[in-house]
Amino acid sequence: MLCTGLLSGQDLPPSPPRELPALPSDVMDRLISETADAEEPAVPDAASAPATASEPETAAIAPAAGAETEAPAPAAAADTKTAAPSQDSPRSGPPVPAPPGVPPGPYRPASQKTVEEQRLDTIRLGTENEIAALVQTLKSENADYLDEALIELVKNTMNRNILSGVFSFFGERERAGLEDRAFRALKEWDMEAADTVLTAIDYLGKLKVEAAIDPLKALLDSEERRFMAAAFRSLGRIGGGVSAITPTEAEGIAEYLIDYYTNRNPGDENRRDIIVALGETGSPAGIAFLSEIAENTDERAPLRMAALEALSKIKDPAGLDAVLAGVASQDPNVRAAAVGALGPFESPEVTAAILEAFRDSFYRTRIGAARAAGTRKLEAAVPYLTYRAERDDVPQVKDEAVKALGAIGTREAETVLASFFEERKNSDRLRILAAEMLMKDHAETYAEKLVAEMDDAKGRNQTALYNGFLRAIGSAKAPSLEAVTRRFFASGGAIEKSYALDMMANNEFRGLIEEVRALTDPKNGNLSHKAQVTLEKLDPSAKADGGQKPDTES
């Protein structure tokens, strides 16, 4: 019946109260005594909950059997010593250590911290996405003041996104400090994430770390195809590290690469990487092998093109015949690659081949001719380059022609560039690029004119032209730019102030240091960090927390 009632949900009649037999008085007294002894509160630890005069002492008293009791009202935490542990109360067991890299100290809200302090907090405590965003910001600012914190982070993390991001950031700047962690990823490649290993390999190659040669060969010998391309490239870069490696060692790397290409079947996807790596070594040991590939008309065009570029990097006259043969190729892409590879070589045949290539209908061949002329500083090419810059129908060809004129740098080339810059009927693209070339070698001559043209563009609301001229001024070195730098600090917007900081770094206008110091105020956001970096370059004794600190008193 009980089960039926429960299943049916019916209310059951209350059971009649049961009378328990009374205990003898001596047994009751003993039970009360034992209960009181067991529930007597322990003396609290002085370090965790010291008693104060204002806190009344209380004792737990067991109720007599059969006595009616009421649930006690909740007491405040300060009035009890037996409350359940909370977030603020001491925890039992060993203390929990602070996260790595977090220094002890009193809490301060983020609003009272400098941007640099907040960024350090991100490195110590942030997620992989927050750290990745910070690294991108540091890249855009070209900032290195957090490098040591990032090095410590890399030592203590296995997070693939953090590791790959920081390896890339340091590799692009060829910044040392991560070699040990990169070696660990390389040697323990089967226990690391693939992108961690790839960026570690790339990092060691960009730093040309000689000690990585044998581990890279060991990885390649394992025939783990995921890492082959990166390992070949890094091996080539290390072989070309003139200051870190001997010609004999470079030759050994070249021979290893040739053997791998010939005898180990690396696959089509990796053959090009081996060819590129051979060029990076700069070793003459690769010339015959590369020349054979470049001249083989049955070989695939991408491999022939890579071989021609590699011969150009080695710069040995022994490879010139193969390059000149490529200039006559019927394949337009091979022909363009061969023309572009002529830059490091000198001979009457080379000059004639470069000038003739300006007539080629394939635009990439004309681009190759412009680049080769710039590399050679070929004065005879100035008329051809002028014509291409003015009249070519492919914008990339025009750009390369202007750059080549800037590289040649003769008086005739300078005059042509000045004409391109000053003629307001020319396209913004042509005028801006010509201005950039003039600011590289003739800034003092043309700075005043460039400032005038920049102001005119602003007055006409020609935003793209104004920003382009502003960029050209920002990279210039000329004493006459101090006045416009001062003007940007005084009345410019954030963009103008940013370029003013570039001009300060390039020209070291000591009379404007206080203007830079004023921008280090944290209220200027990211601009304050660029100002701080600039200030420290001009004045190494400048405090790292330059500018006004946020007011922490209220």
Side-chain angles (χ1 to χ4, degrees):
M1 182 181 296
L2 176 61
C3 294
T4 303
L6 288 173
L7 292 173
S8 64
Q10 297 176 358
D11 291 335
L12 297 177
S15 301
R18 297 176 59 190
E19 192 75 28
L20 295 176
L23 293 175
S25 59
D26 60 333
V27 175
M28 179 66 74
D29 291 341
R30 187 174 72 254
L31 289 175
I32 293 174
S33 175
E34 290 175 356
T35 304
D37 291 343
E39 297 187 5
E40 184 177 359
V43 178
D45 181 64
S48 60
T52 63
S54 61
E55 295 175 344
E57 294 289 336
T58 60
I61 302 175
E68 294 185 2
T69 60
E70 294 182 2
D79 295 328
T80 181
K81 294 181 175 55
T82 58
S86 66
Q87 292 181 347
D88 297 324
S89 63
R91 297 172 59 181
S92 61
V96 179
V102 180
Y107 166 76
R108 285 194 301 136
S111 61
Q112 295 181 6
K113 294 182 179 181
T114 66
V115 177
E116 180 176 346
E117 289 173 325
Q118 293 179 41
R119 290 178 173 183
L120 282 170
D121 286 345
T122 297
I123 292 174
R124 297 183 185 115
L125 306 168
T127 66
E128 58 187 28
N129 291 336
E130 292 165 345
I131 292 172
L134 173 59
V135 168
Q136 289 300 321
T137 300
L138 295 173
K139 282 182 182 180
S140 65
E141 295 176 359
N142 194 26
D144 59 6
Y145 66 95
L146 293 177
D147 281 359
E148 292 303 321
L150 290 170
I151 290 171
E152 288 301 314
L153 172 66
V154 165
K155 289 179 182 178
N156 299 299
T157 186
M158 288 291 292
N159 187 289
R160 60 193 297 175
N161 293 327
I162 293 174
L163 287 170
S164 59
V166 179
F167 277 138
S168 297
F169 180 41
F170 275 53
E172 290 171 6
R173 297 175 296 143
E174 298 182 10
R175 169 71 162 88
L178 305 180
E179 292 90 336
D180 289 345
R181 186 64 182 87
F183 271 118
R184 182 175 136 204
L186 174 57
K187 293 176 180 178
E188 300 176 0
W189 58 266
D190 54 339
M191 295 186 291
E192 297 270 6
D195 44 3
T196 298
V197 179
L198 289 169
T199 50
I201 292 171
D202 188 63
Y203 173 76
L204 292 169
K206 286 179 177 177
L207 266 69
K208 300 178 175 59
V209 180
E210 183 181 359
I213 293 175
D214 288 340
L216 285 170
K217 287 182 178 178
L219 178 59
L220 289 168
D221 291 343
S222 75
E223 298 187 356
E224 182 64 41
R225 292 188 178 274
R226 291 178 299 167
F227 308 126
M228 277 187 177
F232 285 132
R233 287 195 301 268
S234 289
L235 202 55
R237 290 185 186 122
I238 295 170
V242 177
S243 61
I245 200 170
T246 67
T248 302
E249 290 172 318
E251 182 179 344
I253 291 176
E255 290 173 349
Y256 175 85
L257 293 168
I258 293 170
D259 176 74
Y260 209 110
Y261 187 104
T262 306
N263 300 318
R264 304 203 196 180
N265 188 27
D268 290 342
E269 68 276 13
N270 292 312
R271 292 184 189 278
R272 185 181 182 280
D273 293 305
I274 294 177
I275 293 172
V276 172
L278 274 171
E280 293 285 353
T281 67
S283 175
I287 292 175
F289 176 76
L290 293 168
S291 296
E292 181 180 352
I293 294 174
E295 294 181 281
N296 184 359
T297 56
D298 293 329
E299 186 58 88
R300 294 188 301 130
L303 297 184
R304 296 180 67 193
M305 294 163 64
L308 289 164
E309 184 178 353
L311 290 168
S312 179
K313 288 185 176 180
I314 295 174
K315 304 177 184 179
D316 193 299
L320 178 57
D321 288 345
V323 177
L324 287 172
V327 171
S329 173
Q330 294 301 308
D331 187 310
N333 288 300
V334 173
R335 188 167 67 247
V339 171
L342 290 171
F345 302 103
E346 291 190 25
S347 74
E349 293 83 3
V350 170
T351 299
I354 292 173
L355 297 180
E356 183 64 21
F358 281 110
R359 302 180 185 278
D360 199 298
S361 59
F362 185 49
Y363 78 99
R364 291 190 182 276
T365 304
R366 300 197 299 277
I367 288 177
R371 290 174 177 171
T375 302
R376 280 278 308 277
K377 299 186 182 299
L378 187 60
E379 294 183 36
V382 170
Y384 294 85
L385 293 166
T386 302
Y387 186 89
R388 288 294 120 210
E390 288 181 318
R391 302 182 61 177
D392 204 287
D393 56 357
V394 179
Q396 295 95 317
V397 177
K398 289 185 175 185
D399 291 350
E400 293 300 331
V402 174
K403 292 176 183 177
L405 288 168
I408 292 171
T410 62
R411 178 61 183 167
E412 181 184 7
E414 177 192 342
T415 301
V416 172
L417 290 172
S419 175
F420 289 164
F421 157 61
E422 293 171 356
E423 178 53 66
R424 293 182 177 176
K425 292 182 180 180
N426 286 332
S427 67
D428 290 354
R429 182 170 178 157
L430 179 58
R431 296 187 69 195
I432 291 169
L433 191 53
E436 290 176 351
M437 295 302 104
L438 290 171
M439 288 298 105
K440 286 185 177 180
D441 296 313
H442 310 284
E444 190 59 40
T445 302
Y446 295 97
E448 185 176 348
K449 178 65 174 175
L450 179 55
V451 171
E453 291 296 320
M454 180 189 69
D455 290 340
D456 181 80
K458 185 175 184 178
R460 296 171 182 266
N461 292 322
Q462 295 173 304
T463 304
L465 185 61
Y466 172 76
N467 289 335
F469 284 160
L470 190 60
R471 184 173 65 248
I473 287 177
S475 64
K477 293 184 179 181
S480 60
L481 290 174
E482 182 169 0
V484 71
T485 304
R486 186 185 301 277
R487 189 183 91 189
F488 285 165
F489 279 137
S491 59
I495 295 176
E496 286 82 0
K497 286 182 170 66
S498 179
Y499 281 115
L501 291 171
D502 292 337
M503 294 154 74
M504 282 291 295
N506 293 336
N507 297 277
E508 298 187 0
F509 297 135
R510 298 286 175 178
L512 299 178
I513 284 183
E514 291 307 313
E515 281 81 348
V516 177
R517 195 184 307 279
L519 284 178
T520 62
D521 191 315
K523 70 182 181 181
N524 291 307
N526 290 338
L527 195 61
S528 70
H529 285 277
K530 185 171 184 177
Q532 186 62 47
V533 171
T534 304
L535 181 62
E536 291 174 3
K537 288 179 179 178
L538 298 173
D539 181 11
S541 65
K543 293 182 179 180
D545 60 351
Q548 298 176 354
K549 292 184 178 180
D551 183 9
T552 60
E553 297 180 359
S554 58

